[in-house]
Amino acid sequence: MRCAYHRDYFVALPPSHPFPMAKYPLLLERLLREGLVAPADLIEPAEAALDDLRLVHSEEYLAQLAAGTLDAAAMRRIGVPWSAALWRRSRLAAQGTLEAARAALDDGMAANLAGGTHHAFADHGEGFCVLNDVAVAVRALRRDGRLRRALVVDLDVHQGNGTAAIFADDVDVFTFSMHGERNYPLQKMRSTMDVGLTDGVGDDEYLELLGRHLEDIFESFAPDLVFYLAGVDPARGDRYGRLALSDEGLAQRERQVLETCRALGRPLAITIAGGYAKTAERTAELHAIVFREAHRMEAATSGMAASCQHPCPAGS
Ligand SMILES: [Zn+2]
């Protein structure tokens, strides 16, 4: 599976900052080490073109981001200090999702080892999100005539408020968000379908709800491409998540999404979105699960499971 990654996805933050920036290089290292991604499958994105960003974001917001002139309140809302490196990083990650989407349309499945910045609105950022990568990818692909209908499956534990707002009046984009009802953002936007979970929800209830809703969505909507925000903040022990998925529960979740798209022949572009485990290493370990499941599925599909270098336990 082709994966977009750039070393400048990582930007140094103050040591006390809650955002686990180190998870990006740690995830790449892990995927290469475990043989889940081959070096030849890596796509290095350039910075997203301003013309592509303008398909979603306001001219004023982009100009202020480029010049570093957003006011203190706007920066507090984003929650990450502005720097030229942050602006570059945001554009690289947005392009990474666009590259992953293009690769998914060609290959059936692809990923960005970043992205899923779903709290970014057209005219402002918030919740560690600067640019809405999925929205930019949808609009750019549509402009290029490669896409009409897109489905966004957002399983980050926080509601995809920016994505919901951007596509509120767009009948060709189905936004599905399953999130903690009492979690950030306090004021939810309206997605095409929202599933708000109570605190403490664990594997059984989560997986049952997900399966049921995915089935309903695909019965009524036929997307040309599915974007998956595979946030791992619903995991038990996440600093912000308030839910209680086990590692096996997360693996089952990923299988449900991947296998549903595969069975229906819907191309799938994966972004990693949020995750706030106790350490960045643990967060990267959780993000690796979706890649392990994708690898296993691809190996099984191509009939190469027997010769696979990676340990793929039978029957899972
Ligand atoms: Zn989140």
Side-chain angles (χ1 to χ4, degrees):
M1 177 168 77
R2 286 194 278 165
C3 293
Y5 180 82
H6 197 292
R7 66 184 177 286
D8 292 342
Y9 281 179
F10 174 86
V11 172
L13 293 175
S16 59
H17 197 282
F19 189 80
M21 196 61 92
K23 74 180 188 177
Y24 299 104
L26 287 168
L27 174 61
L28 175 71
E29 266 170 45
R30 177 177 285 274
L31 297 180
L32 291 172
R33 189 171 68 235
E34 292 189 26
L36 299 177
V37 171
D41 287 335
L42 293 176
I43 305 168
E44 187 176 87
E47 292 178 16
L50 281 173
D51 276 346
D52 289 359
L53 301 180
R54 287 187 185 108
L55 297 169
V56 170
H57 294 287
S58 72
E59 197 64 51
E60 187 186 7
Y61 180 49
L62 292 173
Q64 288 174 326
L65 279 170
T69 54
L70 284 169
D71 64 27
M75 286 315 303
R76 261 200 310 279
R77 210 165 176 188
I78 291 174
V80 184
W82 187 91
S83 64
L86 179 76
W87 171 227
R88 171 171 160 76
R89 178 215 185 280
S90 304
R91 292 173 66 183
L92 290 171
Q95 185 68 19
T97 295
L98 177 54
E99 300 287 356
R102 286 182 178 138
L105 287 170
D106 291 339
D107 303 348
M109 190 164 62
N112 183 15
L113 304 188
T117 39
H118 56 169
H119 302 310
F121 288 70
D123 62 355
H124 73 274
E126 56 181 69
F128 306 142
C129 299
V130 177
L131 299 171
N132 197 307
D133 57 317
V134 167
V136 170
V138 168
R139 293 257 169 91
L141 290 168
R142 194 182 276 167
R143 176 203 57 201
D144 297 343
R146 294 205 64 188
L147 184 73
R148 197 177 128 231
R149 307 178 98 191
L151 166 64
V152 181
V153 174
D154 187 340
L155 299 185
D156 187 281
V157 82
H158 303 101
Q159 198 221 14
N161 55 345
T163 316
I166 289 166
F167 292 118
D169 299 321
D170 191 334
V171 294
D172 285 324
V173 179
F174 193 116
T175 53
F176 170 55
S177 179
M178 198 158 105
H179 50 261
E181 186 59 30
R182 291 183 57 232
N183 213 319
Y184 173 93
L186 282 178
Q187 193 196 340
K188 311 278 191 288
M189 297 290 123
R190 184 182 297 192
S191 312
T192 314
M193 184 186 288
D194 285 298
V195 179
L197 305 171
T198 50
D199 288 359
V201 163
D203 295 350
D204 291 348
E205 185 179 351
Y206 187 100
L207 295 168
E208 194 273 322
L209 281 168
L210 176 62
R212 184 145 46 91
H213 286 99
L214 283 180
E215 200 172 300
D216 287 350
I217 291 166
F218 281 109
E219 263 174 24
S220 64
F221 190 81
D224 304 309
L225 178 62
V226 180
F227 288 88
Y228 178 29
L229 282 74
V232 294
D233 40 15
R236 181 183 297 132
D238 187 272
R239 280 181 284 135
Y240 299 134
R242 300 180 182 211
L243 300 188
L245 291 201
S246 68
D247 288 20
E248 178 48 30
L250 268 182
Q252 282 187 44
R253 180 189 80 166
E254 314 307 31
R255 283 200 289 278
Q256 241 175 353
V257 175
L258 269 51
E259 284 171 5
T260 300
C261 291
R262 174 64 58 99
L264 297 171
R266 305 293 171 193
L268 177 66
I270 301 165
T271 65
I272 71 170
Y276 309 91
K278 285 203 172 60
T279 65
E281 285 82 1
R282 171 68 178 148
T283 304
E285 184 184 346
L286 292 169
H287 280 306
I289 292 174
V290 71
F291 295 89
R292 193 169 302 120
E293 295 305 325
H295 178 80
R296 191 173 288 162
M297 195 173 75
E298 286 194 321
T301 306
S302 63
M304 287 170 60
S307 61
C308 176
Q309 296 300 306
H310 176 75
C312 304
S316 56

